[in-house]
């Protein structure tokens, strides 16, 4: 009664809209059940199945077995114990992933999770038609593609090469190519690259910046980030990089005098934290409203030290990833 998945299943006609909606819904439920946050991508399914086994939110176990070579993994539902069992072919595991071929396992595990979440396994295999089985394989592949390479990640990717992007998503080159093809977005492979910080993937910099204002990494360490992310400007400024209202007491700019807010004496510029208006400062650069680090010297900024900006790792979510339409204007 096993669900046997043969890899490299041939491409069939596209899945109907109602099944794609079902897959999207079940995927959403899976992400919510296991508390997967945006910052958890790229996903490593070897860790994910460990979490599934530990939490038992779904009754689930897995193990490594000697299986015929053509199978990477087999998952079945044991009705006597009400449990899903995933058997992974021991001889096919290369971990940590190094080559494109090693990363196939990540996709296989996501595919097996797909069979569980899409409820393919409770109907015995001998009651299914050949076409029905093929359709389920295709659905599990679609689930895996969306789980490992969600739209919001794909659209914010710099595709320097198929290999580099596939490595980033921890999938094989073939899996990424098929995902782009299913999205009708193979054009992304040759789309314009936007320079972004190789650490936080921020893509906005001041003209003479020496450091990334979001994560503080020196610019010389590279602007070849795989993704392109816009970090939202929480503290709004005018063209002189002066705040529109005091970020602490919210006073209007009519209450400003010189460099400070009259009411609470907060600086109205996001200075480098080494700046002081009373003596010679090492650095007096006024940074943008979302800078956590000084773009000239890399020290924390005044507003970041005051706790007015959250750490960049927490500020990155769906709402601040660069939409394609923003990126290409
Ligand atoms: Zn399968
Ligand atoms: Zn950065
Ligand atoms: Zn104030
Ligand atoms: Zn500075």
């Amino acid at each position: 009664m096993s669900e046997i998945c043969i890899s490299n299943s041939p491409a069939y006609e596209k899945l109907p809209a109602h099944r794609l909606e079902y897959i999207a819904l079940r995927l959403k439920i899976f992400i919510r059940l296991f508390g997967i946050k945006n910052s958890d991508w790229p996903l490593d399914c070897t860790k994910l199945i460990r979490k599934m086994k530990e939490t038992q939110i779904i009754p689930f176990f897995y193990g490594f077995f000697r299986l015929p070579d053509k199978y990477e993994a087999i998952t079945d539902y044991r009705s006597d114990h009400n449990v899903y069992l995933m058997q992974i072919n021991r001889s096919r595991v290369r971990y940590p992933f190094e080559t494109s071929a090693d990363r196939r396992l990540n996709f296989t595990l996501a595919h097996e999770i797909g069979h569980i979440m899409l409820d393919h396994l409770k109907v015995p295999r001998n009651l299914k038609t050949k076409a029905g089985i093929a359709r389920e394989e295709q659905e599990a592949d679609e689930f895996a593609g969306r789980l490992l390479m969600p739209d919001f990640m794909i659209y914010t990717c710099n595709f320097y090469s198929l290999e580099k992007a596939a490595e980033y998503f921890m999938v094989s080159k073939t899996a990424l190519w098929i995902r782009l093809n299913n999205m009708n977005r193979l054009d992304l492979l040759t789309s314009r690259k936007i320079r972004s910080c190789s650490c936080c993937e921020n893509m906005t910099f001041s003209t003479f910046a020496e450091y990334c204002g979001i994560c503080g990494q020196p610019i010389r360490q590279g602007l070849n980030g795989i993704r392109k992310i816009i970090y939202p400007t929480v503290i709004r400024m005018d063209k002189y990089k002066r705040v529109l209202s005091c970020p602490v007491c919210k006073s209007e700019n009519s209450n400003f005098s010189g460099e400070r807010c009259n009411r609470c004496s907060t600086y109205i510029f996001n200075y480098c934290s080494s700046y002081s208006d009373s003596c010679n400062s090492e650095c007096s650069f006024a940074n943008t409203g979302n800078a956590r680090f000084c773009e000239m010297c890399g020290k924390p900024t005044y507003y970041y030290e005051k706790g007015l900006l959250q750490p960049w790792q927490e500020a990155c979510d769906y709402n601040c990833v660069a939409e394609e339409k923003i990126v290409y204007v």
Side-chain angles (χ1 to χ4, degrees), residues 29 55 79 114 120 135 149 177 180 229-231 262 290 302:
I29 291 171
T55 58
S79 55
H120 291 159
R135 178 55 62 87
M149 298 161 273
W177 191 92
L180 292 171
I229 294 175
I230 293 173
Y231 288 83
N262 262 346
N290 64 0
Y302 175 68

Side-chain angles (χ1 to χ4, degrees), residues 27-76:
L27 180 62
K28 220 174 178 174
I29 291 171
F30 178 76
I31 287 169
R32 205 180 311 137
L33 275 180
F34 290 94
I36 303 171
K37 301 184 301 295
N38 297 336
S39 52
D40 291 337
W41 271 280
L43 290 181
D44 180 341
C45 286
T46 62
K47 292 182 183 148
L48 200 53
I49 58 170
R50 204 176 309 147
K51 189 171 179 180
M52 288 171 71
K53 189 173 167 178
E54 279 164 14
T55 58
Q56 290 298 307
I57 294 169
I58 296 168
F60 170 81
F61 288 93
Y62 70 88
F64 298 91
F65 296 84
R66 197 186 301 268
L67 297 177
D69 207 40
K70 62 179 174 179
Y71 304 129
E72 287 182 303
I74 298 174
T75 306
D76 57 7

Side-chain angles (χ1 to χ4, degrees), residues 5 111-112 115 137:
C5 313
H111 171 107
E112 296 301 312
H115 280 311
E137 290 310 309

